[in-house]
mmCIF file of all heavy atoms in Angstrom:
data_model
loop_
_atom_site.group_PDB
_atom_site.id
_atom_site.type_symbol
_atom_site.label_atom_id
_atom_site.label_comp_id
_atom_site.label_asym_id
_atom_site.label_seq_id
_atom_site.Cartn_x
_atom_site.Cartn_y
_atom_site.Cartn_z
ATOM 1 N N SER F 13 -11.351 -0.459 -75.104
ATOM 2 C CA SER F 13 -11.110 0.899 -75.570
ATOM 3 C C SER F 13 -10.478 1.689 -74.553
ATOM 4 O O SER F 13 -10.667 1.542 -73.391
ATOM 5 C CB SER F 13 -12.408 1.585 -76.031
ATOM 6 O OG SER F 13 -13.337 1.671 -74.946
ATOM 7 N N ALA F 14 -9.629 2.651 -74.974
ATOM 8 C CA ALA F 14 -8.963 3.568 -73.973
ATOM 9 C C ALA F 14 -9.908 4.712 -73.571
ATOM 10 O O ALA F 14 -11.096 4.573 -73.902
ATOM 11 C CB ALA F 14 -7.717 4.195 -74.669
ATOM 12 N N ASP F 15 -9.445 5.579 -72.735
ATOM 13 C CA ASP F 15 -10.381 6.445 -72.060
ATOM 14 C C ASP F 15 -11.058 7.384 -72.901
ATOM 15 O O ASP F 15 -11.752 7.840 -72.771
ATOM 16 C CB ASP F 15 -9.621 7.269 -70.990
ATOM 17 C CG ASP F 15 -9.148 6.519 -69.892
ATOM 18 O OD1 ASP F 15 -10.043 6.218 -69.044
ATOM 19 O OD2 ASP F 15 -7.959 6.298 -69.796
ATOM 20 N N THR F 16 -11.076 7.983 -73.841
ATOM 21 C CA THR F 16 -12.045 8.728 -74.491
ATOM 22 C C THR F 16 -11.546 9.647 -75.511
ATOM 23 O O THR F 16 -10.388 9.493 -75.938
ATOM 24 C CB THR F 16 -12.824 9.719 -73.469
ATOM 25 O OG1 THR F 16 -11.874 10.592 -72.959
ATOM 26 C CG2 THR F 16 -13.452 8.972 -72.396
ATOM 27 N N THR F 17 -12.307 10.555 -76.046
ATOM 28 C CA THR F 17 -11.910 11.335 -77.218
ATOM 29 C C THR F 17 -11.829 12.813 -76.915
ATOM 30 O O THR F 17 -11.626 13.625 -77.812
ATOM 31 C CB THR F 17 -12.877 11.047 -78.375
ATOM 32 O OG1 THR F 17 -14.120 11.335 -77.934
ATOM 33 C CG2 THR F 17 -12.736 9.663 -78.843
ATOM 34 N N GLY F 18 -12.070 13.316 -75.663
ATOM 35 C CA GLY F 18 -11.999 14.690 -75.304
ATOM 36 C C GLY F 18 -13.190 15.447 -75.343
ATOM 37 O O GLY F 18 -14.319 14.953 -75.516
ATOM 38 N N PRO F 19 -13.117 16.828 -75.202
ATOM 39 C CA PRO F 19 -14.315 17.653 -75.082
ATOM 40 C C PRO F 19 -15.027 17.863 -76.429
ATOM 41 O O PRO F 19 -14.481 17.347 -77.412
ATOM 42 C CB PRO F 19 -13.725 18.991 -74.569
ATOM 43 C CG PRO F 19 -12.366 18.979 -75.077
ATOM 44 C CD PRO F 19 -11.858 17.521 -75.108
ATOM 45 N N GLY F 20 -16.118 18.549 -76.400
ATOM 46 C CA GLY F 20 -16.858 18.765 -77.645
ATOM 47 C C GLY F 20 -18.092 17.822 -77.683
ATOM 48 O O GLY F 20 -18.680 17.540 -76.746
ATOM 49 N N GLY F 21 -18.295 17.386 -78.896
ATOM 50 C CA GLY F 21 -19.377 16.457 -79.142
ATOM 51 C C GLY F 21 -20.477 17.050 -80.026
ATOM 52 O O GLY F 21 -20.419 18.242 -80.489
ATOM 53 N N VAL F 62 -27.886 11.853 -71.901
ATOM 54 C CA VAL F 62 -26.565 12.438 -71.560
ATOM 55 C C VAL F 62 -26.619 14.000 -71.837
ATOM 56 O O VAL F 62 -27.055 14.448 -72.867
ATOM 57 C CB VAL F 62 -25.457 11.852 -72.479
ATOM 58 C CG1 VAL F 62 -24.222 12.637 -72.272
ATOM 59 C CG2 VAL F 62 -25.218 10.377 -72.074
ATOM 60 N N ASP F 63 -26.183 14.714 -70.831
ATOM 61 C CA ASP F 63 -26.011 16.208 -70.944
ATOM 62 C C ASP F 63 -24.521 16.379 -71.042
ATOM 63 O O ASP F 63 -23.891 16.331 -69.978
ATOM 64 C CB ASP F 63 -26.652 16.907 -69.767
ATOM 65 C CG ASP F 63 -26.696 18.423 -70.028
ATOM 66 O OD1 ASP F 63 -25.858 18.950 -70.746
ATOM 67 O OD2 ASP F 63 -27.535 19.106 -69.432
ATOM 68 N N LEU F 64 -24.003 16.824 -72.218
ATOM 69 C CA LEU F 64 -22.593 17.030 -72.372
ATOM 70 C C LEU F 64 -22.098 18.194 -71.464
ATOM 71 O O LEU F 64 -20.915 18.238 -71.172
ATOM 72 C CB LEU F 64 -22.310 17.204 -73.802
ATOM 73 C CG LEU F 64 -22.489 15.958 -74.690
ATOM 74 C CD1 LEU F 64 -22.372 16.415 -76.246
ATOM 75 C CD2 LEU F 64 -21.542 14.875 -74.333
ATOM 76 N N ALA F 65 -22.918 19.159 -71.172
ATOM 77 C CA ALA F 65 -22.584 20.261 -70.406
ATOM 78 C C ALA F 65 -22.588 20.052 -68.896
ATOM 79 O O ALA F 65 -22.059 20.792 -68.108
ATOM 80 C CB ALA F 65 -23.483 21.512 -70.732
ATOM 81 N N ASP F 66 -23.311 19.009 -68.518
ATOM 82 C CA ASP F 66 -23.540 18.619 -67.072
ATOM 83 C C ASP F 66 -23.641 17.182 -66.820
ATOM 84 O O ASP F 66 -24.771 16.654 -66.890
ATOM 85 C CB ASP F 66 -24.778 19.408 -66.544
ATOM 86 C CG ASP F 66 -25.044 19.127 -65.065
ATOM 87 O OD1 ASP F 66 -24.152 18.549 -64.400
ATOM 88 O OD2 ASP F 66 -26.144 19.437 -64.596
ATOM 89 N N PRO F 67 -22.546 16.454 -66.679
ATOM 90 C CA PRO F 67 -22.645 15.027 -66.468
ATOM 91 C C PRO F 67 -23.245 14.596 -65.180
ATOM 92 O O PRO F 67 -23.524 13.381 -65.012
ATOM 93 C CB PRO F 67 -21.141 14.616 -66.572
ATOM 94 C CG PRO F 67 -20.322 15.818 -66.150
ATOM 95 C CD PRO F 67 -21.178 16.988 -66.683
ATOM 96 N N THR F 68 -23.543 15.525 -64.283
ATOM 97 C CA THR F 68 -24.297 15.123 -63.049
ATOM 98 C C THR F 68 -25.752 15.126 -63.297
ATOM 99 O O THR F 68 -26.483 14.717 -62.380
ATOM 100 C CB THR F 68 -23.908 16.079 -61.922
ATOM 101 O OG1 THR F 68 -24.512 17.354 -62.183
ATOM 102 C CG2 THR F 68 -22.497 16.248 -61.740
ATOM 103 N N ALA F 101 -25.210 4.893 -73.267
ATOM 104 C CA ALA F 101 -24.377 6.095 -73.572
ATOM 105 C C ALA F 101 -23.500 6.525 -72.382
ATOM 106 O O ALA F 101 -22.970 7.603 -72.366
ATOM 107 C CB ALA F 101 -25.360 7.255 -73.779
ATOM 108 N N LEU F 102 -23.211 5.606 -71.478
ATOM 109 C CA LEU F 102 -22.323 5.765 -70.294
ATOM 110 C C LEU F 102 -22.683 6.927 -69.365
ATOM 111 O O LEU F 102 -21.850 7.558 -68.709
ATOM 112 C CB LEU F 102 -20.883 6.058 -70.930
ATOM 113 C CG LEU F 102 -20.361 5.015 -71.911
ATOM 114 C CD1 LEU F 102 -19.031 5.477 -72.526
ATOM 115 C CD2 LEU F 102 -20.218 3.581 -71.293
ATOM 116 N N THR F 103 -24.045 7.083 -69.232
ATOM 117 C CA THR F 103 -24.579 8.220 -68.446
ATOM 118 C C THR F 103 -24.035 8.008 -66.937
ATOM 119 O O THR F 103 -23.534 9.034 -66.287
ATOM 120 C CB THR F 103 -26.027 8.165 -68.453
ATOM 121 O OG1 THR F 103 -26.419 8.392 -69.847
ATOM 122 C CG2 THR F 103 -26.601 9.423 -67.618
ATOM 123 N N ALA F 105 -21.588 6.185 -65.753
ATOM 124 C CA ALA F 105 -20.074 6.256 -65.623
ATOM 125 C C ALA F 105 -19.713 7.737 -65.555
ATOM 126 O O ALA F 105 -18.790 8.146 -64.843
ATOM 127 C CB ALA F 105 -19.479 5.543 -66.754
ATOM 128 N N ARG F 106 -20.305 8.589 -66.408
ATOM 129 C CA ARG F 106 -20.024 10.008 -66.406
ATOM 130 C C ARG F 106 -20.437 10.597 -65.078
ATOM 131 O O ARG F 106 -19.679 11.443 -64.502
ATOM 132 C CB ARG F 106 -20.932 10.689 -67.460
ATOM 133 C CG ARG F 106 -20.594 10.215 -68.935
ATOM 134 C CD ARG F 106 -21.631 10.780 -69.849
ATOM 135 N NE ARG F 106 -21.692 10.109 -71.129
ATOM 136 C CZ ARG F 106 -21.092 10.465 -72.251
ATOM 137 N NH1 ARG F 106 -20.405 11.661 -72.220
ATOM 138 N NH2 ARG F 106 -21.187 9.867 -73.380
ATOM 139 N N TYR F 107 -21.462 10.206 -64.471
ATOM 140 C CA TYR F 107 -21.918 10.683 -63.218
ATOM 141 C C TYR F 107 -20.904 10.388 -62.137
ATOM 142 O O TYR F 107 -20.604 11.204 -61.299
ATOM 143 C CB TYR F 107 -23.350 10.132 -62.853
ATOM 144 C CG TYR F 107 -23.908 10.601 -61.574
ATOM 145 C CD1 TYR F 107 -24.553 11.895 -61.481
ATOM 146 C CD2 TYR F 107 -23.807 9.925 -60.288
ATOM 147 C CE1 TYR F 107 -25.080 12.341 -60.234
ATOM 148 C CE2 TYR F 107 -24.254 10.398 -59.186
ATOM 149 C CZ TYR F 107 -24.978 11.583 -59.077
ATOM 150 O OH TYR F 107 -25.397 12.068 -57.978
ATOM 151 N N VAL F 108 -20.478 9.079 -62.076
ATOM 152 C CA VAL F 108 -19.498 8.719 -61.081
ATOM 153 C C VAL F 108 -18.215 9.544 -61.245
ATOM 154 O O VAL F 108 -17.580 10.036 -60.293
ATOM 155 C CB VAL F 108 -19.251 7.199 -61.164
ATOM 156 C CG1 VAL F 108 -18.074 6.824 -60.253
ATOM 157 C CG2 VAL F 108 -20.464 6.421 -60.781
ATOM 158 N N ALA F 109 -17.765 9.639 -62.410
ATOM 159 C CA ALA F 109 -16.492 10.382 -62.707
ATOM 160 C C ALA F 109 -16.633 11.828 -62.318
ATOM 161 O O ALA F 109 -15.630 12.461 -61.802
ATOM 162 C CB ALA F 109 -16.147 10.301 -64.218
ATOM 163 N N ALA F 110 -17.731 12.456 -62.540
ATOM 164 C CA ALA F 110 -17.979 13.876 -62.207
ATOM 165 C C ALA F 110 -18.115 14.128 -60.651
ATOM 166 O O ALA F 110 -17.691 15.126 -60.189
ATOM 167 C CB ALA F 110 -19.065 14.463 -62.934
ATOM 168 N N THR F 111 -18.824 13.172 -60.007
ATOM 169 C CA THR F 111 -19.190 13.387 -58.587
ATOM 170 C C THR F 111 -18.070 12.738 -57.702
ATOM 171 O O THR F 111 -17.965 13.138 -56.460
ATOM 172 C CB THR F 111 -20.520 12.766 -58.194
ATOM 173 O OG1 THR F 111 -20.519 11.328 -58.526
ATOM 174 C CG2 THR F 111 -21.614 13.483 -59.020
ATOM 175 N N PRO F 113 -14.262 12.187 -58.319
ATOM 176 C CA PRO F 113 -13.080 12.203 -59.148
ATOM 177 C C PRO F 113 -12.086 11.154 -58.703
ATOM 178 O O PRO F 113 -12.013 10.752 -57.501
ATOM 179 C CB PRO F 113 -12.478 13.607 -58.878
ATOM 180 C CG PRO F 113 -13.718 14.436 -58.548
ATOM 181 C CD PRO F 113 -14.600 13.516 -57.849
ATOM 182 N N ARG F 114 -11.280 10.651 -59.634
ATOM 183 C CA ARG F 114 -10.266 9.587 -59.454
ATOM 184 C C ARG F 114 -10.887 8.243 -59.291
ATOM 185 O O ARG F 114 -10.202 7.238 -59.020
ATOM 186 C CB ARG F 114 -9.319 9.912 -58.283
ATOM 187 C CG ARG F 114 -8.655 11.229 -58.453
ATOM 188 C CD ARG F 114 -7.704 11.488 -57.310
ATOM 189 N NE ARG F 114 -8.307 11.415 -56.002
ATOM 190 C CZ ARG F 114 -9.068 12.399 -55.481
ATOM 191 N NH1 ARG F 114 -9.354 13.453 -56.187
ATOM 192 N NH2 ARG F 114 -9.636 12.191 -54.300
ATOM 193 N N SER F 115 -12.199 8.111 -59.471
ATOM 194 C CA SER F 115 -12.829 6.771 -59.476
ATOM 195 C C SER F 115 -12.301 5.931 -60.649
ATOM 196 O O SER F 115 -12.025 6.530 -61.751
ATOM 197 C CB SER F 115 -14.359 6.866 -59.528
ATOM 198 O OG SER F 115 -14.880 7.409 -58.358
ATOM 199 N N GLN F 117 -13.282 3.043 -63.272
ATOM 200 C CA GLN F 117 -14.465 2.361 -63.762
ATOM 201 C C GLN F 117 -14.229 1.480 -64.921
ATOM 202 O O GLN F 117 -13.388 1.882 -65.870
ATOM 203 C CB GLN F 117 -15.537 3.416 -64.100
ATOM 204 C CG GLN F 117 -15.835 4.355 -62.963
ATOM 205 C CD GLN F 117 -16.977 5.312 -63.313
ATOM 206 O OE1 GLN F 117 -18.192 4.909 -63.357
ATOM 207 N NE2 GLN F 117 -16.652 6.538 -63.560
ATOM 208 N N VAL F 130 -21.164 6.447 -79.446
ATOM 209 C CA VAL F 130 -21.249 7.279 -78.280
ATOM 210 C C VAL F 130 -19.909 8.026 -78.071
ATOM 211 O O VAL F 130 -19.853 9.175 -77.788
ATOM 212 C CB VAL F 130 -21.579 6.380 -76.966
ATOM 213 C CG1 VAL F 130 -21.271 7.226 -75.712
ATOM 214 C CG2 VAL F 130 -23.024 5.972 -77.145
ATOM 215 N N ARG F 131 -18.802 7.284 -78.195
ATOM 216 C CA ARG F 131 -17.479 7.903 -78.088
ATOM 217 C C ARG F 131 -17.269 9.088 -79.136
ATOM 218 O O ARG F 131 -16.567 10.005 -78.764
ATOM 219 C CB ARG F 131 -16.423 6.873 -78.237
ATOM 220 C CG ARG F 131 -16.313 5.916 -76.952
ATOM 221 C CD ARG F 131 -15.388 4.711 -77.302
ATOM 222 N NE ARG F 131 -14.114 5.037 -77.842
ATOM 223 C CZ ARG F 131 -13.040 5.489 -77.138
ATOM 224 N NH1 ARG F 131 -13.142 5.691 -75.877
ATOM 225 N NH2 ARG F 131 -11.935 5.735 -77.848
ATOM 226 N N THR F 132 -17.845 8.884 -80.248
ATOM 227 C CA THR F 132 -17.548 9.897 -81.290
ATOM 228 C C THR F 132 -18.542 11.094 -81.124
ATOM 229 O O THR F 132 -18.104 12.191 -81.154
ATOM 230 C CB THR F 132 -17.837 9.328 -82.762
ATOM 231 O OG1 THR F 132 -16.918 8.196 -82.900
ATOM 232 C CG2 THR F 132 -17.634 10.289 -83.778
ATOM 233 N N GLU F 133 -19.770 10.857 -80.852
ATOM 234 C CA GLU F 133 -20.789 11.949 -80.746
ATOM 235 C C GLU F 133 -20.951 12.486 -79.432
ATOM 236 O O GLU F 133 -21.279 13.677 -79.289
ATOM 237 C CB GLU F 133 -22.140 11.391 -81.360
ATOM 238 C CG GLU F 133 -22.050 10.823 -82.797
ATOM 239 C CD GLU F 133 -21.767 11.872 -83.817
ATOM 240 O OE1 GLU F 133 -21.977 13.117 -83.548
ATOM 241 O OE2 GLU F 133 -21.287 11.514 -84.927
ATOM 242 N N LEU F 134 -20.797 11.721 -78.385
ATOM 243 C CA LEU F 134 -20.940 12.181 -76.952
ATOM 244 C C LEU F 134 -19.692 11.861 -76.194
ATOM 245 O O LEU F 134 -19.785 11.023 -75.237
ATOM 246 C CB LEU F 134 -22.202 11.471 -76.461
ATOM 247 C CG LEU F 134 -23.521 11.523 -77.120
ATOM 248 C CD1 LEU F 134 -24.574 10.711 -76.441
ATOM 249 C CD2 LEU F 134 -23.984 12.945 -77.434
ATOM 250 N N PRO F 135 -18.639 12.455 -76.562
ATOM 251 C CA PRO F 135 -17.302 12.041 -75.947
ATOM 252 C C PRO F 135 -17.251 12.319 -74.526
ATOM 253 O O PRO F 135 -17.905 13.217 -74.012
ATOM 254 C CB PRO F 135 -16.317 12.904 -76.770
ATOM 255 C CG PRO F 135 -17.133 14.065 -77.250
ATOM 256 C CD PRO F 135 -18.441 13.547 -77.581
ATOM 257 N N LEU F 136 -16.403 11.556 -73.843
ATOM 258 C CA LEU F 136 -16.128 11.745 -72.402
ATOM 259 C C LEU F 136 -14.846 12.689 -72.195
ATOM 260 O O LEU F 136 -14.069 12.899 -73.086
ATOM 261 C CB LEU F 136 -15.815 10.397 -71.779
ATOM 262 C CG LEU F 136 -16.868 9.290 -71.996
ATOM 263 C CD1 LEU F 136 -16.362 7.967 -71.433
ATOM 264 C CD2 LEU F 136 -18.204 9.603 -71.424
ATOM 265 N N ASP F 137 -14.757 13.080 -70.953
ATOM 266 C CA ASP F 137 -13.617 13.894 -70.598
ATOM 267 C C ASP F 137 -12.351 12.988 -70.581
ATOM 268 O O ASP F 137 -12.385 11.874 -70.113
ATOM 269 C CB ASP F 137 -13.813 14.498 -69.162
ATOM 270 C CG ASP F 137 -12.806 15.467 -68.766
ATOM 271 O OD1 ASP F 137 -11.647 14.967 -68.449
ATOM 272 O OD2 ASP F 137 -13.050 16.641 -68.809
ATOM 273 N N ARG F 138 -11.250 13.602 -71.101
ATOM 274 C CA ARG F 138 -10.050 12.725 -71.135
ATOM 275 C C ARG F 138 -9.446 12.347 -69.823
ATOM 276 O O ARG F 138 -8.793 11.305 -69.723
ATOM 277 C CB ARG F 138 -8.965 13.557 -71.867
ATOM 278 C CG ARG F 138 -9.150 13.738 -73.403
ATOM 279 C CD ARG F 138 -7.983 14.394 -74.044
ATOM 280 N NE ARG F 138 -8.187 14.667 -75.431
ATOM 281 C CZ ARG F 138 -7.873 13.663 -76.391
ATOM 282 N NH1 ARG F 138 -7.379 12.526 -76.036
ATOM 283 N NH2 ARG F 138 -8.059 13.833 -77.675
ATOM 284 N N GLY F 139 -9.780 13.063 -68.792
ATOM 285 C CA GLY F 139 -9.200 12.723 -67.450
ATOM 286 C C GLY F 139 -10.001 11.622 -66.682
ATOM 287 O O GLY F 139 -9.543 11.179 -65.668
ATOM 288 N N TRP F 140 -11.158 11.261 -67.246
ATOM 289 C CA TRP F 140 -11.975 10.255 -66.550
ATOM 290 C C TRP F 140 -11.365 8.831 -66.781
ATOM 291 O O TRP F 140 -11.027 8.491 -67.905
ATOM 292 C CB TRP F 140 -13.416 10.270 -66.977
ATOM 293 C CG TRP F 140 -14.100 11.519 -66.581
ATOM 294 C CD1 TRP F 140 -13.786 12.419 -65.629
ATOM 295 C CD2 TRP F 140 -15.347 12.011 -67.182
ATOM 296 N NE1 TRP F 140 -14.761 13.394 -65.507
ATOM 297 C CE2 TRP F 140 -15.695 13.196 -66.489
ATOM 298 C CE3 TRP F 140 -16.239 11.534 -68.198
ATOM 299 C CZ2 TRP F 140 -16.792 13.959 -66.760
ATOM 300 C CZ3 TRP F 140 -17.285 12.279 -68.427
ATOM 301 C CH2 TRP F 140 -17.679 13.466 -67.734
ATOM 302 N N GLN F 141 -11.251 8.114 -65.723
ATOM 303 C CA GLN F 141 -10.659 6.742 -65.808
ATOM 304 C C GLN F 141 -11.783 5.740 -66.050
ATOM 305 O O GLN F 141 -12.276 5.019 -65.158
ATOM 306 C CB GLN F 141 -9.987 6.399 -64.493
ATOM 307 C CG GLN F 141 -8.768 7.252 -64.249
ATOM 308 C CD GLN F 141 -8.031 6.858 -62.965
ATOM 309 O OE1 GLN F 141 -7.537 5.820 -62.828
ATOM 310 N NE2 GLN F 141 -8.085 7.837 -62.005
ATOM 311 N N ILE F 142 -12.324 5.710 -67.309
ATOM 312 C CA ILE F 142 -13.344 4.810 -67.745
ATOM 313 C C ILE F 142 -12.890 3.899 -68.883
ATOM 314 O O ILE F 142 -12.445 4.434 -69.885
ATOM 315 C CB ILE F 142 -14.584 5.622 -68.174
ATOM 316 C CG1 ILE F 142 -15.139 6.503 -67.056
ATOM 317 C CG2 ILE F 142 -15.675 4.630 -68.735
ATOM 318 C CD1 ILE F 142 -16.157 7.533 -67.523
ATOM 319 N N LYS F 143 -12.868 2.649 -68.619
ATOM 320 C CA LYS F 143 -12.464 1.693 -69.689
ATOM 321 C C LYS F 143 -13.705 0.971 -70.132
ATOM 322 O O LYS F 143 -14.569 0.515 -69.330
ATOM 323 C CB LYS F 143 -11.476 0.685 -69.118
ATOM 324 C CG LYS F 143 -10.174 1.271 -68.575
ATOM 325 C CD LYS F 143 -9.388 1.888 -69.693
ATOM 326 C CE LYS F 143 -7.998 2.372 -69.114
ATOM 327 N NZ LYS F 143 -7.194 3.003 -70.130
ATOM 328 N N VAL F 144 -13.871 0.801 -71.473
ATOM 329 C CA VAL F 144 -14.994 0.088 -72.042
ATOM 330 C C VAL F 144 -14.518 -1.204 -72.635
ATOM 331 O O VAL F 144 -13.698 -1.155 -73.566
ATOM 332 C CB VAL F 144 -15.799 0.979 -72.989
ATOM 333 C CG1 VAL F 144 -17.034 0.265 -73.521
ATOM 334 C CG2 VAL F 144 -16.140 2.278 -72.372
#
Side-chain angles (χ1 to χ4, degrees):
S13 59
D15 288 286
T16 65
T17 54
V62 168
D63 189 334
L64 293 172
D66 180 9
T68 68
L102 307 175
T103 304
R106 299 168 197 263
Y107 182 82
V108 172
T111 60
R114 303 181 306 284
S115 291
Q117 302 186 76
V130 169
R131 284 167 52 80
T132 300
E133 304 294 340
L134 309 176
L136 308 175
D137 187 284
R138 287 185 181 274
W140 292 343
Q141 299 182 61
I142 301 171
K143 302 292 186 181
V144 183

